[in-house]
Amino acid sequence: TLTEYTNQLLQAMQRVYGAQNEMCLATQQLSKQLLAYEKQHFALGKGDEEVISTLHYFSKVVDELNILHSELAKQLADTMVLPIIQFREKDLTEVSTLKDLFGLASNEHDASMAKYSRLPKRKENEKLKAEVAKEVANARRKQHLSSLQYYCALNALQYRKRVAMMEPMLGYTRGQINFFKKGAEMFSKRMDSFLSSVSDMVQSIQGELEAEAEKMRISQQDLIAVNESVYTPDSDVTSPVINRNLIQKAGYLNLRNKTGLVTTTWERLYFFTQGGNLMCQPRGAVAGGLIQDLDNCSVMAVDCEDRRYCFQITTPTGKAGITLQAESRKEYEEWICAINNISRQIYLTDNPEAAAIKLNQTALQAVTPITSLGKKYEVQHPSQTVKNMENDKIIPSDSAGIQDSTQLIAPGTPIQFDIVLPAMEFLDQNRGGRYDALLQQMFVVQFLGSMAVQSDATCEVIYEAMRQVLAARAIHNIFRMTESHLMVTSKNLRLIDPQTQVTRASFELSTVTQFAVHQENRRLIGFVIHLSETPGEESMSAYIFESNTEGEKICYAISLGKEIIEAQKDPEALAQLMRSVPLTNDGKFMLLNDVSEEDGTMHEGGEESEA
């Protein structure tokens, strides 16, 4: 460091001053120290080229004069040792003190930010929030002022360092010439011009220092005079300017760490993205370390410990990853958008910025959420456009020709996220009871959403509807799901309210044209309803559910129901079907999850088709 080098240089000069009997050895060491400056690689190395060349020349002079040194006494003490001591005691000590003050201000800022991050979201106290925000602003202002003073001192140190390195040698060399008559005879002609140029260079550096100090003083006053809102966190919470096309992001976040079975801590760390990785760099660390691979991951907002602006990163396998908290709404939304863009590996393209913009302008089609099923037919041409998020990758299909997503579902198609119960006067007639059907199978499901589709030729329309419904829920932070009982009979599908046993919706089984399970998440189930409303007018809608059990069971029940409908047209086919599928005691079909191959008994997972 510069302090260590200064101490070594001072020791060498003191040895020249005090050890007159060892003058030759001392001047040799001084010469070596002057040459060593070039190899130090100081962080503040502006203008060191001139200093290095000058020190090299001085080193040669010292080697030539070391045989002439004897007593330098007061002149050496005043012109050589004193300037470097003043540089060490004044300039270097000042920088060290300002560095400590900056560290204290940074710690105070961290403490105030931690206090601000713990503000509750649900029971918000405006007075407490204002006090904490003012405390944060004061801490930031103090940190900013101390950092400015510290940086100004560092900048000034660049010039003072150069002066401190050359001024003692200037006095030392002049002292040698004045003290030794032979030195004047030997070097006066070729040293006068050199020393004059060194003096001019030192004065030039002093002038640059004064100009730079004035410039920094003006800049410091301008920065201190800015509005208080610059230091206040989340000052523009109502309408922040959000960049949704980011492919890299950096900043401070709070990281949630588990310290026990039920206890957690939050640590404020510096995070940044590097390619497809999320990196974390603790304070004082030389470099950051990998904390999460973002390729093909997903990110969504979460409610966590009554803290605002929390979001969670989930791995491609569906395992919950890390939970983070941003300090403002702008940072919160930009981090989510940046991670979403990175997870799609946009950073690997030739022009990542253009790819991100195109993805958000064209691939992210409009999704207008409608929270009531009763409004389904009121909005035929939605005017509001909300960005719909692309999934990481399209699920491959075994079908020969996969249609384009716009051919399956029109862009901007509204999505319904809720099912409204019938009016009070229809509750009785819709109340569930016993149904006269050969097949009755009940499943517990959660309604995720439904939307109109343009085709029911392949199961791809169901996969596309699943993608758009899940993406819309993630974009609009819709986590509430309506639980229902899905009754599959040989005549229809019924969605029954588990509390009131009222039928929320009913679909004839003959109108179900497609049904499928998600190829990766086997609990996601969807089906397409094809209705002929008026002659020449048809409507198709996809309904998406999440089942408490495997979706294949629901698909098997629907398939069996449709087989029963076809078999009822032919008595022999119906008899053959009834022989192939086990029946209950009252003559209804029984669905088995697993039948023992040895004794034919039903395992614990078996379900009877009686509702």
Side-chain angles (χ1 to χ4, degrees):
T1 63
L2 182 59
T3 302
E4 293 176 353
Y5 177 80
T6 303
N7 290 333
Q8 293 174 358
L9 187 61
L10 178 60
Q11 290 175 3
M13 292 180 177
Q14 287 177 337
R15 184 176 181 183
V16 172
Y17 171 75
Q20 299 177 3
N21 296 328
E22 300 178 357
M23 187 60 65
C24 291
L25 296 176
T27 52
Q28 289 177 2
Q29 182 181 358
L30 177 59
S31 177
K32 293 179 181 180
Q33 287 296 327
L34 295 176
L35 292 175
Y37 181 84
E38 182 181 7
K39 302 177 182 179
Q40 298 303 312
H41 303 294
F42 298 121
L44 302 175
K46 181 181 178 181
D48 272 357
E49 293 79 7
E50 295 179 350
V51 176
I52 290 173
S53 62
T54 305
L55 292 181
H56 280 190
Y57 192 85
F58 277 126
S59 176
K60 295 178 181 179
V61 172
V62 172
D63 288 337
E64 294 177 0
L65 293 177
N66 64 349
I67 59 175
L68 302 177
H69 290 186
S70 57
E71 293 183 359
L72 302 179
K74 186 177 182 299
Q75 188 174 7
L76 289 179
D78 294 339
T79 60
M80 183 179 68
V81 180
L82 183 59
I84 197 67
I85 291 179
Q86 290 177 341
F87 171 73
R88 186 188 66 172
E89 301 297 331
K90 179 181 178 182
D91 300 328
L92 294 182
T93 303
E94 178 185 9
V95 171
S96 177
T97 303
L98 290 175
K99 179 182 178 181
D100 294 338
L101 293 176
F102 174 65
L104 293 175
S106 299
N107 293 336
E108 292 179 6
H109 174 249
D110 289 345
S112 62
M113 278 304 306
K115 186 176 180 181
Y116 179 81
S117 299
R118 291 193 297 269
L119 287 176
K121 179 177 68 175
R122 298 173 184 169
K123 296 181 180 180
E124 190 166 297
N125 188 329
E126 293 296 330
K127 182 178 179 181
L128 178 59
K129 180 180 178 182
E131 292 176 355
V132 175
K134 184 176 180 181
E135 181 180 346
V136 173
N138 291 335
R140 284 185 174 176
R141 187 183 186 91
K142 183 177 179 181
Q143 184 193 34
H144 192 189
L145 181 59
S146 61
S147 66
L148 288 175
Q149 293 174 344
Y150 177 49
Y151 298 151
C152 291
L154 287 177
N155 290 334
L157 185 62
Q158 296 185 80
Y159 301 95
R160 291 170 180 164
K161 175 199 65 178
R162 293 154 64 185
V163 173
M165 293 300 110
M166 291 183 289
E167 189 177 20
M169 294 310 306
L170 185 64
Y172 169 79
T173 308
R174 284 178 171 171
Q176 291 283 21
I177 293 174
N178 293 331
F179 191 79
F180 296 105
K181 300 294 183 178
K182 292 183 180 181
E185 296 176 357
M186 294 172 57
F187 303 107
S188 60
K189 292 182 180 180
R190 61 189 178 102
M191 288 296 297
D192 286 343
S193 60
F194 172 72
L195 296 179
S196 177
S197 64
V198 172
S199 299
D200 295 339
M201 185 171 63
V202 170
Q203 294 178 0
S204 175
I205 295 174
Q206 292 282 8
E208 293 178 7
L209 170 60
E210 294 176 359
E212 182 70 18
E214 180 65 20
K215 182 179 178 181
M216 290 186 292
R217 186 185 64 80
I218 297 175
S219 299
Q220 184 175 348
Q221 291 178 350
D222 294 339
L223 292 173
I224 294 176
V226 297
N227 192 288
E228 191 71 20
S229 61
V230 174
Y231 299 97
T232 304
D234 214 7
S235 59
D236 191 13
V237 69
T238 57
S239 57
V241 180
I242 299 170
N243 184 0
R244 301 186 181 276
N245 303 319
L246 295 172
I247 55 170
Q248 56 183 7
K249 180 71 177 170
Y252 279 94
L253 296 171
N254 290 336
L255 173 64
R256 183 174 181 263
N257 296 314
K258 285 189 176 181
T259 57
L261 293 177
V262 294
T263 58
T264 59
T265 60
W266 293 82
E267 184 179 7
R268 189 168 184 263
L269 299 171
Y270 182 79
F271 289 83
F272 62 95
T273 61
Q274 189 176 71
N277 299 323
L278 179 63
M279 313 292 287
C280 175
Q281 183 172 351
R283 177 173 294 179
V286 178
L290 176 64
I291 193 171
Q292 180 78 47
D293 184 3
L294 300 180
D295 285 345
N296 298 321
C297 74
S298 59
V299 59
M300 65 185 302
V302 293
D303 288 330
C304 188
E305 300 181 9
D306 196 25
R307 285 179 173 242
R308 66 188 74 203
Y309 309 134
C310 293
F311 58 94
Q312 186 180 72
I313 301 175
T314 305
T315 63
T317 60
K319 181 179 179 181
I322 59 175
T323 301
L324 301 167
Q325 180 191 18
E327 69 176 35
S328 66
R329 178 185 170 190
K330 173 182 171 63
E331 289 292 304
Y332 160 78
E333 297 201 19
E334 286 190 350
W335 269 107
I336 291 179
C337 292
I339 294 174
N340 272 323
N341 292 335
I342 294 172
S343 68
R344 295 177 180 82
Q345 300 182 351
I346 297 177
Y347 62 92
L348 297 177
T349 60
D350 294 335
N351 192 344
E353 292 80 4
I357 294 173
K358 182 178 179 181
L359 180 65
N360 284 282
Q361 288 180 347
T362 58
L364 304 185
Q365 297 295 338
V367 177
T368 304
I370 298 180
T371 58
S372 173
L373 191 65
K375 298 180 181 179
K376 175 180 177 180
Y377 299 104
E378 295 179 6
V379 182
Q380 296 296 333
H381 303 285
S383 59
Q384 181 183 6
T385 320
V386 183
K387 291 182 179 179
N388 184 15
M389 190 172 297
E390 281 283 336
N391 224 1
D392 292 342
K393 53 185 177 181
I394 302 299
I395 300 175
S397 175
D398 295 335
S399 58
I402 301 177
Q403 294 175 284
D404 186 71
S405 61
T406 58
Q407 297 176 352
L408 301 174
I409 301 175
T413 301
I415 298 177
Q416 297 80 40
F417 297 113
D418 200 0
I419 298 180
V420 177
L421 287 173
M424 293 300 295
E425 57 267 23
F426 300 110
L427 285 177
D428 292 334
Q429 68 185 48
N430 286 304
R431 196 171 301 278
R434 299 187 65 83
Y435 308 102
D436 185 14
L438 293 176
L439 172 67
Q440 293 181 17
Q441 180 69 25
M442 181 177 290
F443 303 91
V444 179
V445 297
Q446 286 80 34
F447 179 71
L448 297 179
S450 64
M451 62 191 308
V453 299
Q454 299 185 129
S455 172
D456 62 351
T458 66
C459 293
E460 293 296 326
V461 66
I462 297 177
Y463 300 147
E464 179 65 19
M466 289 178 178
R467 185 189 66 78
Q468 293 200 19
V469 168
L470 294 177
R473 280 182 169 270
I475 290 175
H476 303 294
N477 298 331
I478 300 175
F479 305 105
R480 179 175 54 86
M481 295 184 292
T482 303
E483 183 174 302
S484 302
H485 289 171
L486 176 63
M487 173 71 75
V488 181
T489 71
S490 57
K491 296 181 180 180
N492 53 30
L493 302 177
R494 291 176 179 265
L495 286 176
I496 302 173
D497 184 272
Q499 302 295 330
T500 62
Q501 296 301 309
V502 172
T503 300
R504 288 172 165 157
S506 178
F507 311 102
E508 294 295 328
L509 204 58
S510 59
T511 63
V512 179
T513 57
Q514 289 288 346
F515 51 93
V517 178
H518 195 280
Q519 294 183 349
E520 294 182 1
N521 187 352
R522 312 305 292 179
R523 293 175 59 187
L524 290 182
I525 173 74
F527 54 81
V528 177
I529 302 298
H530 192 149
L531 298 176
S532 298
E533 300 177 350
T534 59
E537 291 189 10
E538 297 181 343
S539 67
M540 291 175 285
S541 299
Y543 291 81
I544 309 301
F545 298 87
E546 182 181 15
S547 172
N548 285 4
T549 59
E550 293 183 359
E552 287 90 343
K553 300 177 183 178
I554 302 178
C555 288
Y556 177 73
I558 296 175
S559 177
L560 181 59
K562 296 180 77 68
E563 289 183 16
I564 294 174
I565 293 177
E566 294 297 326
Q568 284 177 337
K569 301 176 183 179
D570 185 357
E572 294 182 1
L574 180 60
Q576 183 179 358
L577 180 63
M578 295 180 68
R579 286 194 298 271
S580 63
V581 180
L583 302 176
T584 63
N585 294 332
D586 56 357
K588 295 181 179 179
F589 287 95
M590 178 183 298
L591 298 182
L592 300 181
N593 294 338
D594 191 11
V595 177
S596 172
E597 296 180 357
E598 297 179 358
D599 55 8
T601 58
M602 185 172 21
H603 287 260
E604 184 179 357
E607 296 180 355
E608 188 176 315
S609 63
E610 179 68 23

